[in-house]
Amino acid sequence: MACWISTAATWTFNYAINLSSAEQNDISIAFARLTAFSATSISINITNDTLFLRDNNQNEIYRDTSHGTAQCWVEYNTTNCDVNEADIRFGDEPWVTGSSSQHLPYNSGRSIMGTAVHEGGHCVGMAHENTVYNMMGEDWSHVTRNGVTTYYGPGEDLSDGLIDLHGERSGGSDTYRDVGATVLRYEFADGAYSDHQFGVLRDASSGTTLPVVGSFEGQDTFEVVRGGDSGDGADV
């Protein structure tokens, strides 16, 4: 019998003591956003676990510099495909906390919050995706931004997958809205991942790219002229 990935809707993890309080906070925010629209649930049992490692029959989240980037590692009972253990390991990366834009794709370093949405998605049943702009592709470029503030969330594709697998969140009011705008777009399939690149602003009539007149926090800024309809501006 072949097992792929856990389809369990409810998970409880321990935070290892080698995660900072800021990292733990960002991961918790990521899990809350990941599970906002579906019946999926991720909770934390211990916040400073000192006995974290693979094959100890505990679900744990920890830093592991022997691993390259990040991973949801799952151990199965190969007879019935029940999950014995699931660990999320954050590897040898310059991890960045908080919601400023001082990380990829605008600067160096990886957002631990964005990566936690991606790896949490794996642990609750989602595989990689390489055909559309989505969080289960290159997670560091599945991001929206307002000024210098960034927001990592599941997006439409991952949310839809979790609802298909676990069902829609029941009860409560219609508080959450899975709508956003971004200047990043799907570019091509990069192996199992979708590759995302910055889009451009184009003239409404000619389709030509508007002039790049500078950059802001690692992102090109374009010249847009109110009412323009030719090469020197866009219809706005």
Side-chain angles (χ1 to χ4, degrees):
M1 178 182 290
C3 303
W4 167 230
I5 195 73
S6 170
T7 58
T10 302
W11 285 93
T12 300
F13 289 92
N14 295 343
Y15 281 147
I17 197 169
N18 70 349
L19 290 169
S20 70
S21 59
E23 289 169 339
Q24 292 183 16
N25 181 68
D26 276 16
I27 296 167
S28 293
I29 293 172
F31 289 163
R33 292 175 181 174
L34 172 67
T35 60
F37 310 107
S38 69
T40 318
S41 174
I42 301 177
S43 60
I44 304 301
N45 182 36
I46 298 173
T47 57
N48 287 294
D49 187 358
T50 59
L51 300 173
F52 54 91
L53 71 163
R54 288 170 53 173
D55 295 320
N56 68 349
N57 294 316
Q58 295 185 52
N59 302 328
E60 296 160 320
I61 304 173
Y62 51 92
R63 296 286 295 271
D64 180 3
T65 57
S66 68
H67 184 68
T69 55
Q71 177 190 50
C72 171
W73 177 84
V74 180
E75 181 184 71
Y76 292 97
N77 179 322
T78 55
T79 301
N80 58 20
C81 280
D82 285 345
V83 175
N84 297 329
E85 177 184 345
D87 291 354
I88 297 178
R89 304 186 295 162
F90 290 93
D92 190 18
E93 290 270 2
W95 298 107
V96 178
T97 59
S99 58
S100 75
S101 54
Q102 298 306 304
H103 51 67
L104 291 171
Y106 312 105
N107 211 319
S108 60
R110 287 276 296 276
S111 165
I112 202 166
M113 187 184 299
T115 305
V117 176
H118 178 104
E119 299 304 334
H122 281 315
C123 281
V124 294
M126 298 291 103
H128 285 136
E129 172 60 57
N130 67 0
T131 62
V132 295
Y133 177 77
N134 74 103
M135 177 51 83
M136 298 311 292
E138 292 184 348
D139 56 78
W140 59 87
S141 56
H142 186 275
V143 59
T144 59
R145 182 170 133 184
N146 182 9
V148 298
T149 302
T150 55
Y151 180 92
Y152 283 97
E156 188 277 334
D157 190 66
L158 176 52
S159 296
D160 184 60
L162 289 174
I163 290 171
D164 283 347
L165 186 62
H166 300 306
E168 189 174 359
R169 176 180 291 275
S170 61
S173 59
D174 187 16
T175 302
Y176 299 103
R177 302 282 183 174
D178 188 18
V179 176
T182 179
V183 297
L184 289 149
R185 61 186 295 275
Y186 175 81
E187 189 74 8
F188 53 79
D190 183 8
Y193 297 82
S194 56
D195 182 275
H196 313 141
Q197 300 292 330
F198 287 110
V200 299
L201 291 182
R202 299 183 184 276
D203 178 76
S205 299
S206 68
T208 58
T209 301
L210 297 181
V212 176
V213 294
S215 65
F216 177 74
E217 295 288 325
Q219 182 175 302
D220 285 344
T221 55
F222 296 85
E223 181 182 29
V224 178
V225 179
R226 183 183 181 121
D229 58 3
S230 60
D232 62 351
D235 288 332
V236 293

